[in-house]
Amino acid sequence: MDQFQQKFVEEALDNVEMLEENLFELEKNMDNYDPELIQSIFRSMHTIKGSGMMFGFDDLSKFTHNFETIYDLIRNDKLTVTKDIVNLSFESLDYIRKLLAIGEGKLTNPDDIAQLNEFIARITKHFPEGTTLTKGRAEREAEEKAKREAEAAKQGPKNYLVTIEPMEELLENGTNPLYTVDDLTALGEWKTVAFTDKVENFTQFKPLAMRINWQVLLHTEQDAINDIKDNFIFIEDECKVDIAELPAGDYIKTGSDGKIDEMLKQAAESGKYLTTADFEQFKQEPVKQQAPEASTNATQQATSTAEKKDANTVAAKKDDAKIATMRVASSKIDELVNAVSELVTMQAQLNVVAERQGIPSLSAIAEQMEKTTRTLRENAFSLSLIPLGGELVRFQRLVRDLSNNLHKQLEFVVEGGEIELDKNIIEHLTDPLMHMIRNSGDHGIELPEDRIAAGKDPKGIIKLKAFYSGSSVIIQLSDDGKGMDPDKIFSKAVEKNLVSANAKLTKKEILNLIFASGFSTAEKVSDVSGRGVGMDVVKSKIAEIRGEVSIDSEVGKGTTFTLDLPLTLSIIDGLLTKVNGEQFIFPLSNIEKILSPKEVNFNNNGLGNVFIYDNEQISYIELNKLFYSLDTPIDTSKIIMVRSGDKHVGIVVDLIVGEFQIVVKPLGNFLRKVDMISGASVMGDGSLSLVIDTTRLITYNQQQRYRKDIKQENKEA
C-alpha cells in the first residue's frame, strides 16, 4: 500500500494548496463571499477526510471531519464567517500538512495525541450550541436514514438497476472496483452482468487499463438510493454511475422462470446495456404514484439509462471526457532530461566524426540527428516547466503572517503567474523570494499611521510580476514603501569597510551594496530581519542558476528587485571561445554582440579598463590577465559584449570558435567554490570546456576593484 499512500499524500497536498487559495479569497470577502467558495472548501476537506480514512490516515480523517463541520455549518447558514474562523482554518491547514508527513497518519506519541485533541477542542468551540463533535451529526444522519427506511417500508420492496462505468485510469489510481461492486451487493439480493466487449485480445492486452463495465440488478426491502450513492463516494470522480428504479416485480428469487438470467446473458454477449424498458414485461403490479419530484427524477434516470443502449456511443462520450493531463513523478522527468543531455553529447561527437570522415551520407545523418535532438531537447524541457503561480501560494501565506507579526497592512499581488519555469529554477527561487518579500515587508512598507501621514493608503502593496524577455524570464518584486536611501547605504558600507569613503559610485552600484555578506541597515535585530544574512543569500542563490538580480529604488516611493533568469539549466546554447589555449563557454542568452578591437576606441583619457563604443563608456575584463596574469595585445583579440543590469560590459578573449549546443555538468568539490565558473561541458572531440558565469565574473571583478580602492586609501592614510 506504500505507493498508494504516497499518491494519496501527493493528492491531499494538492487539495491543501487549493484550500489555502480559497481561504485567501474568503478572507478578502468575508462579509460578501460567494457561496460556491464555501462549497469548494467543504468539498476539498471532504475529499481529504474520505480518502484519508480509506488509506489508514485515521487521525487525519478524524481531525478533518471536525474541520469540515465548520464549513458544513457555514454553508447551511448556521454559522457566520469570522476572522477567528479564517485564522483557525489557516492553522488547521498547517496541522493537516503535519499529519500527512507522519507515516500512515497514526499518532502514537501521547503528547501528539493530546495536541490533536486540543486542536479539535479549539475547532468545536466555534460550533453553535447544540452541535456536538461527531456524535450529533451521526445521530442526525441515523435519524434521517430511519425516516427513509420507515417510509420505504410503507411502499414495499424496491428494485434498482445500477450501471457502473469505471474510468480507464481507475486501476492506476489504486482502486479495486470489485470491492465497490461487492459492497453494493451487500445492500440486498442481487444479480450482476459484466460487459467485457472492450477487453483487448492477448497481444493488445493492457493490464492497468480498466475495460470492464457492470450492471447490478438489486432488490432491497427499503429505499436504498442514498446508500447506493454513498457506496461510490470515494470514486465519484473516477467512475460514471447511473441508478434507475425498476417497476415492482420478482427479478431475483424466481427470475421470472429464468427469463431474467437469459436477458442478462444476452446483454453481456451483445455489449448493450439493459434499460428500465426491458423490465416492463416482468412487472407484477402497477408502479405506485410518486410525488412529482420523485416522478421527474425517475423519468430523468430512465432517459439517462436509455441513452446508453449503444455501447460504442458511450465509449465515445467517455473518451471525449477523458482528462488530457496526467501526474508524472518529478524523478522520471529528471531521468528523461538526463538521458536527453547524454544524447546531446553523443550527437556532438557524431558531428565531429562526420566532419573528420568527410562522408556525405554520414554528414546528412548527423545533420538530421542534430535537428531531432534539438526537438527532443525542447520537448523534454517543456515537461519540466511548471507555472510560477502554483508555487506562490506559500508567499501569500508569508505576507499574511508578516502582516500580523509586524502589525502592518500588507497585500500580495501577482501578475504573470502563468509564466512557466524549469522546476529546478523554481526550487532555487524559494529562498531568494522569501528574503526579498521579508525585506519589503519589514524594511520597505511603513506602519499604517506612517503611510497615512505620508499621504499613502494604509495598506502596503507587495507586487510580483513575471514576464518573458527573449530567452529569459524576468521576475520583478516591488513594494510601494519608503524606498532605500543611497546615502545611508553608502555610509553603512564605508563603516563596514566594504567600499572606500572616496569611491565614486553610481546610485545603482550603491544599491547593489546591500547584497554584501553581513550588510544590514536595520536599527535592531527582529524575528524577521536585521542580521545581514538575507540579501547576500538572494545574490548567491540567483547566481547559482545563472541569473542576475538588480535593484531600483526611490526614496518615499518604493523599491523594485528585478531577477533575470534563464529558462533552463542543464542544456544551453553556448559560444565556445579560447583564452591562452584553454576553452571557455559563454551562454548565448547572456551575449548581446561580438566586437573586434578595431570597432572600439581605447583612447579613454586614462580611465583604466574602459573603451568607447557608440558614445558609451564601457568597462572591460581581460580574461588572460584575470585568469593567467598575462598581458596580451588586445588588437588581435575579440570582445564579447554582455549586459550587466542597465550597463554593458566587454569580456576580452583570444579566439571565437563557434556556437554549440552543450550539456552543463556541475563542477567537482575542488572547483565548487570558483565563483566565476558555473559548470563544465564535454565537447564532441572529448575535450573539456568551462562554462563562464558572466554575472559572477562581473561581480568578482567589481569587488576586486572595490578592494583595490580600499587598500590604496589605507596605504595613503
Side-chain angles (χ1 to χ4, degrees), residues 409-411 445 448 451 456-461 480:
Q409 297 180 26
L410 305 176
E411 182 178 354
I445 305 291
R451 291 179 63 85
K456 297 182 178 180
D457 190 304
K459 178 185 289 185
I461 304 296
D480 61 349

Side-chain angles (χ1 to χ4, degrees), residues 75-87:
R75 69 177 184 156
N76 290 312
D77 297 325
K78 296 179 180 179
L79 193 63
T80 305
V81 178
T82 64
K83 186 70 174 178
D84 287 342
I85 287 179
V86 173
N87 288 337

Side-chain angles (χ1 to χ4, degrees), residues 563-665:
L563 308 182
D564 191 335
L565 306 169
L567 285 174
T568 58
L569 290 177
S570 300
I571 303 177
I572 65 171
D573 291 315
L575 182 70
L576 181 62
T577 68
K578 285 193 174 183
V579 178
N580 194 32
E582 301 292 339
Q583 296 181 149
F584 296 92
I585 294 173
F586 293 84
L588 274 180
S589 59
N590 296 344
I591 299 174
E592 295 215 336
K593 61 181 69 174
I594 298 173
L595 301 175
S596 166
K598 296 179 181 179
E599 299 178 69
V600 302
N601 180 11
F602 285 97
N603 185 14
N604 53 32
N605 298 320
L607 293 176
N609 283 7
V610 176
F611 61 77
I612 310 298
Y613 179 73
D614 274 353
N615 296 320
E616 180 185 357
Q617 290 184 354
I618 300 173
S619 61
Y620 64 90
I621 303 169
E622 297 178 74
L623 292 192
N624 257 316
K625 183 177 292 186
L626 183 63
F627 290 165
Y628 304 104
S629 300
L630 296 176
D631 285 319
T632 55
I634 293 182
D635 55 354
T636 59
S637 304
K638 293 292 183 181
I639 303 173
I640 300 173
M641 291 282 286
V642 299
R643 177 174 288 278
S644 174
D646 58 351
K647 289 187 176 182
H648 292 94
V649 176
I651 300 175
V652 180
V653 300
D654 294 344
L655 179 67
I656 303 292
V657 179
E659 296 180 17
F660 292 88
Q661 186 179 196
I662 64 165
V663 178
V664 181
K665 297 290 185 181

Side-chain angles (χ1 to χ4, degrees), residues 59-67 92 95-96 116 119 123:
D59 290 318
L60 171 68
S61 182
K62 176 183 177 183
F63 176 80
T64 312
H65 178 65
N66 288 275
F67 186 16
S92 297
Y95 193 68
I96 288 175
L116 171 65
F119 211 137
I123 292 175

Side-chain angles (χ1 to χ4, degrees), residues 107 319 480 672 680:
L107 300 176
D319 288 340
D480 61 349
R672 192 176 298 278

Side-chain angles (χ1 to χ4, degrees), residues 18-31:
M18 186 185 305
L19 274 168
E20 203 159 39
E21 290 181 19
N22 287 336
L23 285 176
F24 280 120
E25 190 65 30
L26 178 62
E27 189 175 36
K28 293 177 183 176
N29 302 284
M30 288 190 296
D31 297 329

